Amino acid sequence: MALKLKGVEYEYVEEDLKNKSPDLLKYNPIHKKVPLLLHNGKPILESLVILEYIDETWPGPAILPSDPYDRAMARFWAKFLDEKCWPAMRRACLSRGEEQEKANEEANEVVMFLENELKGNKLFWGDTIGLVDIAANLIGHWYGIFEEFNGIMQPPLITKDKFPNLCEWVDKYTNRSFVKENLPPKDKLAQLYMDRIQAAKAAAQ
Amino acid sequence: MALKLKGVEYEYVEEDLKNKSPDLLKYNPIHKKVPLLLHNGKPILESLVILEYIDETWPGPAILPSDPYDRAMARFWAKFLDEKCWPAMRRACLSRGEEQEKANEEANEVVMFLENELKGNKLFWGDTIGLVDIAANLIGHWYGIFEEFNGIMQPPLITKDKFPNLCEWVDKYTNRSFVKENLPPKDKLAQLYMDRIQAAKAAAQ
């Protein structure tokens, strides 16, 4: 999303995380994880570090605000999304039964901080796409997937009555044509989710 | 350390984490943790976010390099120190028995990435103090504490034969007069450590 925003041409290489490529192990021997940005033969690692690198390397729309305090707030919330919200929501989505109830409760508590921060739209940038929007991209997109495949998937964790501000952001963000054109296909992600649920069920038996 | 480096006057407020102050809960309701920097009445949270804020707000020696790739590397390693090294070392220091053996092994593995990166002194800045040095400050200082109180404390996790590059950095960093003058007193920290060990033992009984 950041590279598209800056108008940078790039090659996207899909990584099979069950069978990691020699390149992934070579360029990210510590975490062996994606995303990994390779630029001039040098690897840049960790989602938020990559976003700041892109912002500092290429001209085009700014991803971080210019004021130091606003930058600190954007960094804080992007980190919160990356390290607290997303893992909590992931646990809630992939667990079942009693474990899920507990995971749901925890995720609700974490996401509520985001919801409260969104009151008066302080957090996200509004008319431009910034660091926090991109970090929240996963939530916005998955919310849409859960809504669309509601019959075969668990009900969405994020509902309009509980999280009105967050849902408003999701609507606004994912309906922007620039964002819409550049999100991965929902059916492919839904299939991935169903596969994971099946694998988790099989492992539990 | 960053504020001292920039020559910024500040008031240091000690926080009793067993009895958190109303101010801490007010300004950091999400994590309820230190460090917290209060500037113009506004809180800045999370160690590395605070360091970047200080670098962007006050003139003086730069804490981050100027080249975008070097900045990305500094951010990656500071994050690694903050989120991987320090927690792993903490677990190794505070656990006992079988649990400690496992924690020691894990900490060794994590710290070895740092040791290898330090070959040829690529990682730390050398003659100036930067983001990675400040993030590694805890390791350097605690290493000295373990060495000094070796009789009453566990042997240091980081030894010169296993981690020669890291030990060289510790020596160089902690013996710099600017750093020496601004580190908290070793005996106070040693006492804190002994208290924690006692509390952990009492809880285990």
Side-chain angles (χ1 to χ4, degrees):
Chain A
M1 200 62 75
L3 288 171
K4 293 261 184 193
L5 198 65
K6 293 279 190 180
V8 180
E9 291 209 14
Y10 62 89
E11 185 195 352
Y12 172 73
V13 179
E14 183 101 14
E15 189 64 39
D16 176 6
L17 292 176
K18 281 181 217 144
N19 183 20
K20 295 177 182 180
S21 73
D23 270 353
L24 180 61
L25 304 177
K26 174 179 161 193
Y27 288 117
N28 192 358
I30 298 182
H31 302 303
K32 304 178 182 76
K33 284 199 288 193
V34 289
L36 183 162
L37 174 69
L38 202 64
H39 184 218
N40 295 331
K42 291 189 286 191
I44 299 102
L45 306 167
E46 298 279 6
S47 315
L48 303 180
V49 176
I50 292 173
L51 288 175
E52 295 227 29
Y53 178 80
I54 291 171
D55 202 25
E56 291 173 354
T57 301
W58 286 283
I63 293 168
L64 267 89
S66 57
D67 173 73
Y69 186 74
D70 293 341
R71 290 167 73 85
M73 289 300 281
R75 285 180 179 129
F76 174 85
W77 284 104
K79 189 175 153 75
F80 183 75
L81 278 154
D82 199 41
E83 292 171 15
K84 300 281 173 192
C85 284
W86 182 240
M89 289 184 66
R90 203 173 174 278
R91 274 193 300 275
C93 288
L94 292 178
S95 57
R96 285 293 171 269
E98 249 179 68
E99 204 188 311
Q100 188 177 37
E101 262 173 57
K102 209 183 143 220
N104 259 332
E105 237 172 75
E106 282 169 8
N108 264 311
E109 205 176 297
V110 168
V111 179
M112 195 51 86
F113 283 119
L114 202 63
E115 172 68 17
N116 289 336
E117 188 64 23
L118 275 163
K119 264 179 205 154
N121 201 16
K122 278 181 295 180
L123 182 53
F124 298 106
W125 281 47
D127 295 330
T128 55
I129 294 174
L131 188 73
V132 184
D133 294 296
I134 297 176
N137 184 85
L138 267 174
I139 293 179
H141 196 37
W142 274 105
Y143 171 77
I145 293 168
F146 278 109
E147 226 181 14
E148 197 169 315
F149 296 88
N150 201 5
I152 50 164
M153 289 166 86
Q154 291 282 316
L157 202 76
I158 298 168
T159 52
K160 276 199 176 111
D161 55 328
K162 257 194 194 160
F163 301 99
N165 298 318
L166 192 55
C167 287
E168 197 188 319
W169 168 81
V170 167
D171 264 3
K172 206 170 143 193
Y173 179 73
T174 53
N175 281 315
R176 202 181 274 260
S177 64
F178 170 80
V179 173
K180 234 182 203 169
E181 286 157 21
N182 292 306
L183 287 169
K186 281 183 185 169
D187 51 353
K188 207 176 151 188
L189 288 175
Q191 190 55 52
L192 187 75
Y193 171 83
M194 299 305 285
D195 290 348
R196 290 233 177 134
I197 287 288
Q198 287 304 327
K201 272 188 191 162
Q205 274 168 0
Chain B
M1 200 61 76
L3 289 170
K4 293 264 183 191
L5 198 67
K6 293 278 190 181
V8 180
E9 290 210 14
Y10 63 90
E11 185 195 351
Y12 172 74
V13 180
E14 183 100 15
E15 189 65 39
D16 176 6
L17 293 177
K18 281 180 216 144
N19 184 19
K20 294 178 183 180
S21 73
D23 270 352
L24 180 60
L25 303 177
K26 174 180 161 193
Y27 288 118
N28 192 357
I30 298 182
H31 302 302
K32 305 178 182 77
K33 283 199 290 193
V34 289
L36 184 162
L37 174 69
L38 202 63
H39 184 218
N40 296 331
K42 291 189 284 189
I44 298 101
L45 307 167
E46 298 278 5
S47 312
L48 303 181
V49 175
I50 292 173
L51 288 175
E52 296 226 31
Y53 178 80
I54 292 171
D55 202 26
E56 291 174 354
T57 301
W58 286 284
I63 292 168
L64 268 89
S66 57
D67 173 75
Y69 186 75
D70 293 342
R71 290 167 74 84
M73 289 300 282
R75 286 179 179 129
F76 174 85
W77 285 104
K79 188 174 155 75
F80 183 75
L81 278 154
D82 198 42
E83 292 171 14
K84 299 282 173 190
C85 284
W86 183 241
M89 288 184 66
R90 203 172 174 279
R91 275 192 300 275
C93 288
L94 292 177
S95 57
R96 285 293 171 269
E98 247 179 70
E99 203 188 313
Q100 188 177 37
E101 263 172 57
K102 209 183 144 220
N104 259 333
E105 236 171 75
E106 281 170 8
N108 264 310
E109 203 177 300
V110 167
V111 179
M112 194 52 85
F113 283 119
L114 203 62
E115 172 68 16
N116 289 336
E117 188 64 22
L118 275 162
K119 264 180 205 152
N121 201 17
K122 278 180 293 180
L123 181 54
F124 298 106
W125 280 47
D127 295 330
T128 55
I129 295 173
L131 187 75
V132 184
D133 294 296
I134 298 175
N137 183 84
L138 266 175
I139 293 179
H141 196 37
W142 274 104
Y143 171 78
I145 293 168
F146 278 109
E147 226 180 13
E148 198 168 312
F149 297 87
N150 201 5
I152 50 165
M153 289 167 85
Q154 290 283 317
L157 202 77
I158 297 167
T159 53
K160 276 198 177 112
D161 56 327
K162 258 194 196 159
F163 301 98
N165 298 318
L166 192 54
C167 287
E168 197 189 318
W169 169 81
V170 168
D171 264 3
K172 206 171 143 191
Y173 178 73
T174 54
N175 282 315
R176 203 182 273 260
S177 64
F178 169 80
V179 174
K180 235 182 200 167
E181 287 157 21
N182 293 308
L183 287 170
K186 281 183 186 170
D187 52 353
K188 206 175 153 190
L189 288 175
Q191 190 55 53
L192 187 76
Y193 171 84
M194 299 305 287
D195 290 349
R196 290 233 177 134
I197 288 287
Q198 287 304 327
K201 271 186 192 163
Q205 273 170 1

